[in-house]
Amino acid sequence: MADIDNKDQAELDPADMEDVEEVEEEETGEDVNSKARQLTVQMMQNPQILAALQERLDGLVGSPSGYMESLPKVVKRRVNALKNLQVKCAHIEAKFYEEVHELERKYAALYQPLFDKRSDIVKAAYEPTDEECEWKADEEEELTVSKQEMKEKAKVEEEKKDEEKEDPKGIPEFWLTVFKNVDLLSDMLQEHDEPILKHLQDIKVKFSDPGQPMSFSLEFHFEPNDFFTNTVLTKTYKMRSEPDESDPFSFDGPEIMGCTGCTIDWTKGKNVTLKTIKKKQKHKGRGTVRTVTKTVPNDSFFNFFSPPEVPESGELDEDSEAVLAADFEIGHFIRERIVPRAVLYFTGEAIEDDDDDYDEEGEEADDEEGEEEADEENDPDYDPKKDANPPAECKQQ
């Protein structure tokens, strides 16, 4: 910073001199911060420093703070007594979840007649009455219907009349639509699975009988089709609700211990879980080439019924563990959400409810974006014309 001569100093009042001193201090602080940042960047680019830092962090993971070691012996004894009480709490909690399972089984019997009627409507075994089909919309919603909405409604009515002329039976592709509407399930679907799932008529949940080990089964009921002879495909999940003796504090409710699928009796040439590929092989000696036909696994939703087997030792490779973890999540979701609320996933309403859980995060993101836009508007150097053309990496190809 340039020096200020005596004449200039005489013209500055004391308040101005304080401002000059503050600016000089700030600039000095910025220089120090800049050098510190540069030094940090250089250090973090050094592999040896990074390795030493990582080793230090790994050593800290799970290490005690030292507080427990500092406690008097008599206090440690009392803490051990509390931990023993906690183990007993875990065992009581396990019994609680066992009774919850029994309660689920009891109420499943009450839900089932309603689910059976749902199935009958979907597969056209029962035609609901006018009273059963009446759905009352909110009065306020009816009052706010715009002219455009009225036109769209009239268009829909015309389409419905056309559909009535075609006389569709039940609710076509009900379960296929549910699957396609749910990301967790649609990720499993392949194009060659869809013609088969059009024949899916119902999914039922069956709980284990009283006194039997805790488990539940998913039953996929199909109408007669050209793909396989099974009328029901099943998947059973075995559960456990008891603390692990070696780590009782890790107990957090029932856990799925394993699952078993079923054999699908595919019609010849219709097995979508397998595909045929052709490979060319060259003879090492003669140099002749031959084409070999080989059957290999194929991506399909129906692999869901052939999960990896869990060995008695319980040890699995990483790939099998990942497959089973995803499988357990899907089975639990079908049981807890899809079967009880199928119609809401068909219409998309349940998906909107699921998305509501993330509204607060979305609003925060919108607020931050709004603040950025406001900052741009208040910036005297901001020129909107400069943003008219996005950088090359942002342009769509």
Side-chain angles (χ1 to χ4, degrees), residues 9 24-26 47 92 191 205 249 256 264 280 307 326 345 370:
Q9 289 181 0
E24 290 178 345
E25 290 175 0
E26 290 175 1
I92 292 175
E191 187 175 348
V205 179
F249 302 133
I256 297 176
I264 302 178
K280 291 184 178 180
Y345 283 100

Side-chain angles (χ1 to χ4, degrees), residues 65-80:
S65 62
Y67 174 72
M68 282 298 298
E69 286 74 8
S70 67
L71 293 176
K73 187 175 181 180
V74 65
V75 176
K76 290 181 182 179
R77 290 179 68 256
R78 294 167 189 154
V79 171
N80 289 338

Side-chain angles (χ1 to χ4, degrees), residues 20 24 50-51 58 83 112 182 235 261 283 320 332-333 377:
V20 171
E24 290 178 345
L50 285 175
D58 291 342
K83 292 171 74 174
Q112 197 54 52
V182 179
K235 183 76 170 287
H283 194 278
S320 296
H332 184 74
F333 190 80
E377 292 174 0

Side-chain angles (χ1 to χ4, degrees), residues 1 11 67 153 375:
M1 184 174 183
E11 294 176 355
Y67 174 72
K153 188 175 180 181
D375 291 341

Side-chain angles (χ1 to χ4, degrees), residues 173-183 185-186 189 203 338-339 341-347 351:
E173 301 181 15
F174 177 82
W175 288 102
L176 173 59
T177 303
V178 170
F179 276 45
K180 293 171 76 172
N181 282 347
V182 179
D183 290 342
L185 301 177
S186 65
L189 289 185
I203 304 176
I338 298 297
V339 172
R341 309 177 71 198
V343 65
L344 300 182
Y345 283 100
F346 177 81
T347 62
I351 301 168

Side-chain angles (χ1 to χ4, degrees), residues 22-37:
E22 289 178 1
V23 171
E24 290 178 345
E25 290 175 0
E26 290 175 1
E27 289 181 350
T28 303
E30 289 178 0
D31 292 340
V32 172
N33 291 335
S34 177
K35 291 180 179 179
R37 284 195 296 270

